[in-house]
Amino acid sequence: LAAVAALAAATRSAASPYAALPSVIAGLVAVVALHVALPSRRAEPAVAPKEPAVRANTNPESEVLATPMTGLAGQVPARRTVLLASSMTAAGAGLAAFGSWNTRALTTPILPAALPTPTAPLGPLPTGLESMVKGISALRTPVDDFYRIDTAILVPRVTVADWRLRIDGDVERPFELSFADLLAMPMVEADITLNCVSNPVGGEYIGSTRWLGVLTADVLKRAGVRPTADQILSTSVDGMTISTPVAALQDDRGALLAVAMDGKPLTAEHGFPVRMVTPGLYGYVGATKWVTRLTATTYAARRAYWSDRGWAERAEVKTQSRIDVPASGESFSSGFEVVIAGVAWSQARQGISRVEVQVDDGEWSPAQLGPDVGEHYWRQWRWTWPATSGTHRVTVRATDGAGVVQTTDVAEPAPDGASGLHTISISVA
Ligand SMILES: Nc1nc2c(c(=O)[nH]1)N[C@H]1C(S)=C(S)[C@@H](COP(=O)(O)O)O[C@H]1N2
Ligand SMILES: [Mo]
């Protein structure tokens, strides 16, 4: 087992020369511990326990076990053996803890004393509807609650000192950037909602925050992407590949190579030290975490990880709306106004202009919209309903900035994002 673990660790794409060491040490500790702990028949003839199974520990200072341990075939190992085996185990655990502490210390990010200031800082985020509606998604998702989706079993720990971004492929001037080089470029602040293509209708794989980073377009401009390229294939330190249309990274939507979210450096889970954020595109085609290489190429020449697994090569975020409160199945007493509230988004289509709510098969009623944070950011909404008794279906729909109502066509997340209206059912006594 230790050999399997060592092999697995050593063959990871981000493996260091010491990757196999913890498994090798664990294997050695196991061999020694088993050797010491397993009763040898010659040395310790079988003895049936003569005392009751549980002895009171009369000396509170002593660490003697209260329950005698029964070894193989009912043998009772000598106390010395038990003590030795437990100290070996403790030493092994200590070593493991030291090992993980040590690797963490080695990879602790070396951060700039302060985050660079954006060229044009944004004003404070407006107060969201969460100030008046309990249970609605906060206008800004706290980093700790931000959904996490990736293929990394172990979160890559990248140091700022080791990090490089290589821009190559079909470009005039391939080059490499260090973290300091990146921070020296003009910094941009932007409020962007990030969506996962796997998010089902009404699902949780969406979050909104303020990002700080460099325009991906600025970096690509330095390299000079040739007109023959239609795809930027980005690669992360753990070997993940994501393909993004060149156009989406060069137009004015403001795609970022982000270094911070919500005013703090990215966490390891969300892509420290640098990740992509591309407004209007699902994460799997535009939000590469731990990004380390941008290769200009074509869709005909290179396929990304998820494209090889049946997901669409290109996928724009679909217009969607979600009911956050009440929870489906909740019951109320009549005579009360039920507050129905949630969020709606339509990034590639000029934001949200309208949200409407329908009870059963009734009229669509306009909901009150929360603050407008920009077309790439979700919009909160609320609607109060003087509840009538019975069991009711409540449905929401959003209209984008161009006046197009979200589709009622039901689609599963695969291959290019879920669609359909979010409906809940509530009962009123
Ligand atoms: N390196 C890497 N980047 C990745 C992924 C991944 O598996 N590996 N997953 C993508 C997907 S599918 C999504 S939805 C977003 C999620 O970003 P988050 O975990 O910061 O919310 O990251 C994208 N970037
Ligand atoms: Mo995703």
Side-chain angles (χ1 to χ4, degrees):
L1 281 176
V4 169
L7 194 71
T11 52
R12 284 168 52 83
S13 61
S16 81
Y18 304 111
L21 201 61
S23 318
V24 171
I25 292 174
L28 292 177
V29 169
V31 167
V32 177
L34 280 173
H35 183 79
V36 172
L38 281 182
S40 127
R41 267 156 222 282
R42 259 180 307 130
E44 292 166 32
V47 181
K50 290 193 186 94
E51 294 178 69
V54 176
R55 273 180 299 184
N57 187 351
T58 46
N59 179 1
E61 310 263 282
S62 89
E63 298 228 288
V64 173
L65 292 171
T67 313
M69 287 173 72
T70 309
L72 291 181
Q75 295 174 352
V76 178
R79 176 170 306 180
R80 182 171 37 85
T81 314
V82 172
L83 281 177
L84 205 56
S86 5
S87 19
M88 289 295 301
T89 310
L95 258 173
F98 175 77
S100 88
W101 170 80
N102 198 38
T103 31
R104 184 147 314 180
L106 280 176
T107 57
T108 295
I110 303 144
L111 287 172
L115 285 169
T117 36
T119 322
L122 297 175
L125 204 72
T127 308
L129 296 186
E130 64 269 28
S131 60
M132 55 196 290
V133 182
K134 198 168 167 275
I136 194 176
S137 303
L139 189 54
R140 182 194 323 238
T141 312
V143 175
D144 286 345
D145 298 345
F146 210 97
Y147 80 96
R148 176 190 161 206
I149 298 280
D150 54 57
T151 57
I153 294 168
L154 279 176
V155 175
R157 306 265 168 188
V158 186
T159 63
V160 159
D162 291 341
W163 183 83
R164 292 286 181 286
L165 179 67
R166 181 140 54 100
I167 296 94
D168 60 7
D170 207 0
V171 295
E172 305 286 348
R173 301 167 294 276
F175 71 105
E176 220 178 66
L177 272 173
S178 69
F179 193 63
D181 295 337
L182 187 78
L183 293 197
M185 295 181 70
M187 301 298 291
V188 172
E189 227 174 20
D191 295 319
I192 302 168
T193 294
L194 185 63
N195 307 66
C196 183
V197 69
S198 306
N199 198 27
V201 172
E204 300 288 329
Y205 302 147
I206 178 170
S208 301
T209 195
R210 177 164 291 181
W211 307 87
L212 176 75
V214 169
L215 287 174
T216 315
D218 285 354
V219 171
L220 293 179
K221 203 186 294 164
R222 252 174 85 173
V225 177
R226 295 211 179 95
T228 42
D230 61 3
Q231 177 205 169
I232 299 294
L233 187 82
S234 48
T235 311
S236 73
V237 295
D238 65 346
M240 174 54 128
T241 52
I242 282 181
S243 58
T244 311
V246 171
L249 300 179
Q250 289 187 323
D251 65 19
D252 60 5
R253 77 182 66 201
L256 292 181
L257 284 160
V259 298
M261 66 195 285
D262 199 8
K264 292 172 288 286
L266 296 177
T267 59
E269 288 76 10
H270 293 294
F272 184 89
V274 183
R275 73 169 305 164
M276 293 171 55
V277 180
T278 309
L281 300 184
Y282 290 114
Y284 85 110
V285 284
T288 318
K289 304 193 272 190
W290 318 288
V291 64
T292 187
R293 187 174 175 187
L294 302 178
T295 306
T297 179
T298 61
Y299 279 97
R302 301 285 300 273
R303 285 167 73 79
Y305 183 88
W306 287 115
S307 312
D308 278 337
R309 287 158 179 80
W311 293 79
E313 278 195 316
R314 301 166 188 249
E316 285 190 349
V317 174
K318 295 179 180 175
T319 303
Q320 267 296 347
S321 47
R322 180 178 80 189
I323 300 170
D324 291 336
V325 281
S328 197
E330 234 178 282
S331 36
F332 298 86
S333 30
S334 65
F336 282 94
E337 294 217 308
V338 176
V339 176
I340 295 156
V343 284
W345 57 93
S346 137
Q347 309 180 4
R349 295 169 193 84
Q350 302 160 51
I352 292 295
S353 60
R354 192 163 17 129
V355 172
E356 295 157 292
V357 185
Q358 181 192 47
V359 177
D360 300 322
D361 296 313
E363 295 274 282
W364 286 98
S365 311
Q368 178 204 343
L369 294 181
D372 183 359
V373 184
E375 61 171 325
H376 300 310
Y377 209 77
W378 66 14
R379 194 100 186 237
Q380 297 169 312
W381 58 268
R382 76 188 270 273
W383 185 66
T384 42
W385 175 49
T388 56
S389 58
T391 299
H392 302 282
R393 269 179 302 114
V394 181
T395 307
V396 65
R397 73 175 184 196
T399 303
D400 67 22
V404 180
V405 182
Q406 76 176 84
T407 180
T408 54
D409 293 350
V410 175
E412 293 299 308
D416 65 354
S419 69
L421 304 184
H422 188 209
T423 298
I424 61 164
S425 113
I426 59 176
S427 57
V428 181

